[in-house]
Amino acid sequence: MSQASMTGDGQQRSNSTPPQGSIQYDKRNRFVYQDDEIIEKPFNWAQMRRLLTYMKPYKKQLLPILIVLMILGTLTKLAIPFLISYAIDHAIAPQGADPSMKMLLIITGTAFVLYVIQWATNTYRIKYMNMIGQRIIYDLRADLFKHLQSLSFGFYDKRPAGSVLVRVTNDINSLQDLFTNGAINVLVDCLQLLGIIIILLFLNMKLAIAVMITVPIMFLISTKLRKMIRMAWQDVRIKQSRINSHLNEAIQGMRVTQAYTQEKENMTFFDYMNTVNLKSWNRASALNQTFGPIIEITSAVGAFILFVYGTNLVQTSAITVGILFAFAQYVGNFWEPINRLGQMYSQMLIAMASSERIFEFMDEKPSVSENRGAMLMPSIKGDVKIEDVVFEYEPGRPALKGISLHAEAGQSVALVGHTGSGKSTIINLLCRFYDPTSGRVLVDGFDIRNVQLDSLRSQIGIVMQDTFIFSGTIRDNIRFGRLDATDEEVERAAKAVHAHDFIENMENGYDTEVQERGNVLSMGQRQLLSFARALLADPRILILDEATASIDTETELKIQEALKTLLKGRTSFIIAHRLSTIRNCDNIIVLDHGRIVEEGNHEQLMTKRGTYNGLVEAQYKYM
């Protein structure tokens, strides 16, 4: 298809107008997007498991290597304090014997080797997980983008583009720490904690219990903060989404902003949103930082218990100085993974806030989807029937009210009427961008709800007034209509619609780079490229939606000649306010407030002296 962007006639929602019931107003009476809401749910482990399933394809690469690295790194870290303790009691200050330099050198060399092993395993593990983590992020982003492309127009009608953009970029980026090191670090830290607890209990059970008595207190306090922190990070994501939405709108509408000298107001509103985002971030960050002080206070209390009670045990010869030193080392190592787990929990809260927003989109079902067992649409002739169709963009507000029409294969049908009469809505239904509320649309006798979407839309071409030009070369933009077209076919299509001359006059001809939305091209030139794109696609049904509205009279005469070739043998639907472009159509449908009020060719409708005649006379009156 030459173009895949259309909204309902009379029911259009721009990015600057949120749907009813989804806005609130700030102190300057400007709306703030409410497309997102803070999801008030407890920590969802099922959803976290769903997120971690993206690691499943790499489990054969992850598990064998990482298990070895985790165990080796943990064992070496746990062995070092024990070695130092042994050196104190048996080499430096052995009871009833002289210090042993030989034993000290052996223990020192062994400890050095263990440090090297520990460094090597940690370095390789981090490097390996970074590589795998980036692949997982790639997979997640690809899945989300693929799903977004399958969603229907109704989904995008209700959301600003920036809100969608932030899910694919910021929200997925916030998961990088979780996938690159976070998930594995949790296993490493848990394994280390288990090892430390076993060693402490083995060295002296009473002292171990006394030192760890503060742990339940810490978890009890930190549990109170979990919900607050998760909700705070959700709020941050929402504020960032709104900033992105406003940025997208502001950049696309910069010409209008400058034309009406609204830069100051625009900056004031952006400053307001930026301030709200800053406050939200500061609140979430402050809550997030509370874990550190809790752990530090708990660690200090544990250290106090260790040295008071431990010193007493040394004095009573219940333990040695070496064991007390080992206890101090292990307790220090104990709080280190506890601290990391606290930070990791904060990361998981951030990941949960982002994953809820990502999976909210992933779980969104297209309002228009292929039925199970949908058949492949064969090569069509272009016979179109619309039977008693009613359609509502919003319940209770019908855009079409019992429309029925028939376009035989090869016929040209014009749709005319005032703005909001339902012209573009008919086109939306024909392309199956939306489904009728009731009634049906048939192409060559097939109900289009029962055929595969790609096989239908690939045989329909659309040329719109607001032509979208992609970043790339002019040749690539024309070839978008048929990606396997040769350079000769591209140039032949451009010549047929009289676009070849202006293309050749550009610096690099067909290889001229055009920026997003074709800013280096005039409106008329962009429309000519759209005609070439549609002609190259060679559709059986062609839709022209105000396609000549921005073309000057001289170019329009050339286009009219090109249209004779373009429309020949094709069923065409033409929407035009410039009624001179539809005089020769086989059938003209006149719409008013979602109903067909007149139908016939130009001469027949002029003879009736009804609505169509009034439109023509009004247009010529103001020419």
Side-chain angles (χ1 to χ4, degrees), residues 508-526:
N508 296 314
Y510 284 85
D511 294 317
T512 300
E513 291 282 340
V514 290
Q515 301 303 313
E516 183 183 359
R517 299 190 67 83
N519 289 338
V520 299
L521 303 171
S522 69
M523 184 74 75
Q525 288 172 335
R526 294 202 294 270

Side-chain angles (χ1 to χ4, degrees), residues 40-139:
E40 296 188 10
K41 297 178 182 178
F43 193 97
N44 192 334
W45 286 104
Q47 183 162 279
M48 183 56 66
R49 286 194 296 272
R50 179 183 178 184
L51 192 61
L52 294 177
T53 56
Y54 277 87
M55 301 178 75
K56 191 174 181 180
Y58 303 98
K59 65 180 181 180
K60 291 183 179 179
Q61 298 170 259
L62 283 169
L63 292 179
I65 296 175
L66 287 177
I67 288 174
V68 172
L69 293 176
M70 284 167 51
I71 293 175
L72 195 57
T74 301
L75 289 178
T76 53
K77 187 162 187 174
L78 293 176
I80 291 171
F82 191 82
L83 275 176
I84 297 174
S85 169
Y86 188 86
I88 293 172
D89 287 342
H90 297 86
I92 298 175
Q95 293 181 354
D98 295 328
S100 174
M101 184 58 66
K102 181 180 178 181
M103 182 181 293
L104 185 61
L105 289 174
I106 292 173
I107 293 174
T108 302
T110 304
F112 177 77
V113 172
L114 292 177
Y115 273 120
V116 171
I117 293 173
Q118 182 185 337
W119 171 82
T121 55
N122 288 341
T123 300
Y124 188 77
R125 173 172 58 82
I126 292 170
K127 181 180 178 180
Y128 190 69
M129 272 309 301
N130 279 332
M131 181 180 67
I132 298 295
Q134 289 304 318
R135 292 181 187 175
I136 295 169
I137 291 295
Y138 171 88
D139 293 341

Side-chain angles (χ1 to χ4, degrees), residues 192-229:
Q192 183 177 326
L193 282 174
L194 180 62
I196 289 173
I197 291 171
I198 291 172
I199 292 173
L200 290 179
L201 291 172
F202 172 77
L203 292 175
N204 190 285
M205 185 176 293
K206 290 181 179 180
L207 183 57
I209 294 173
V211 168
M212 290 187 292
I213 199 171
T214 56
V215 175
I217 299 173
M218 181 203 69
F219 278 112
L220 183 64
I221 296 172
S222 62
T223 299
K224 302 293 184 181
L225 296 169
R226 292 177 184 176
K227 181 178 179 181
M228 294 173 61
I229 293 176

Side-chain angles (χ1 to χ4, degrees), residues 15-18 23-26 29-33 249 269:
N15 286 342
S16 60
T17 309
I23 61 175
Q24 69 179 19
Y25 291 88
D26 65 16
N29 204 35
R30 295 221 20 197
F31 66 79
V32 179
Y33 289 114
E249 178 187 83
F269 185 54

Side-chain angles (χ1 to χ4, degrees), residues 401-459:
K401 306 169 184 176
I403 294 290
S404 294
L405 63 87
H406 181 204
E408 297 179 1
Q411 272 194 334
S412 57
V413 177
L415 302 174
V416 301
H418 297 292
T419 299
S421 59
K423 304 183 296 296
S424 291
T425 301
I426 291 176
I427 301 306
N428 283 341
L429 296 178
L430 175 57
C431 297
R432 210 181 166 215
F433 295 142
Y434 300 90
D435 280 334
T437 305
S438 64
R440 59 180 185 162
V441 179
L442 306 175
V443 175
D444 285 4
F446 294 98
D447 188 329
I448 62 174
R449 286 175 292 197
N450 298 326
V451 301
Q452 295 176 16
L453 286 171
D454 286 350
S455 65
L456 168 70
R457 293 174 181 169
S458 64
Q459 301 186 70

Side-chain angles (χ1 to χ4, degrees), residues 536-605:
L536 186 64
D538 192 25
R540 303 311 307 155
I541 298 175
L542 180 65
I543 296 168
L544 305 178
D545 190 353
E546 292 292 345
T548 61
S550 300
I551 295 178
D552 58 78
T553 305
E554 181 180 351
T555 306
E556 185 183 359
L557 293 175
K558 295 179 181 180
I559 288 293
Q560 293 297 339
E561 290 300 316
L563 284 177
K564 292 179 182 179
T565 303
L566 188 61
L567 300 179
K568 187 175 181 180
R570 295 183 174 90
T571 306
S572 58
F573 289 84
I574 304 171
I575 297 175
H577 287 113
R578 196 182 294 181
L579 300 181
S580 59
T581 61
I582 61 171
R583 292 174 64 95
N584 298 321
C585 287
D586 299 314
N587 194 18
I588 299 172
I589 306 292
V590 183
L591 294 153
D592 184 41
H593 293 91
R595 299 184 186 278
I596 296 177
V597 293
E598 290 180 352
E599 184 176 357
N601 59 36
H602 176 74
E603 289 74 19
Q604 291 171 339
L605 293 177

Side-chain angles (χ1 to χ4, degrees), residues 77-78 185-197 218-219 295 329-345:
K77 187 162 187 174
L78 293 176
N185 282 345
V186 169
L187 298 178
V188 172
D189 289 334
C190 288
L191 187 61
Q192 183 177 326
L193 282 174
L194 180 62
I196 289 173
I197 291 171
M218 181 203 69
F219 278 112
I295 291 172
Q329 289 291 100
Y330 282 121
V331 168
N333 290 341
F334 178 83
W335 292 112
E336 181 184 334
I338 287 288
N339 190 30
R340 282 200 302 266
L341 286 172
Q343 294 173 354
M344 183 57 206
Y345 187 77

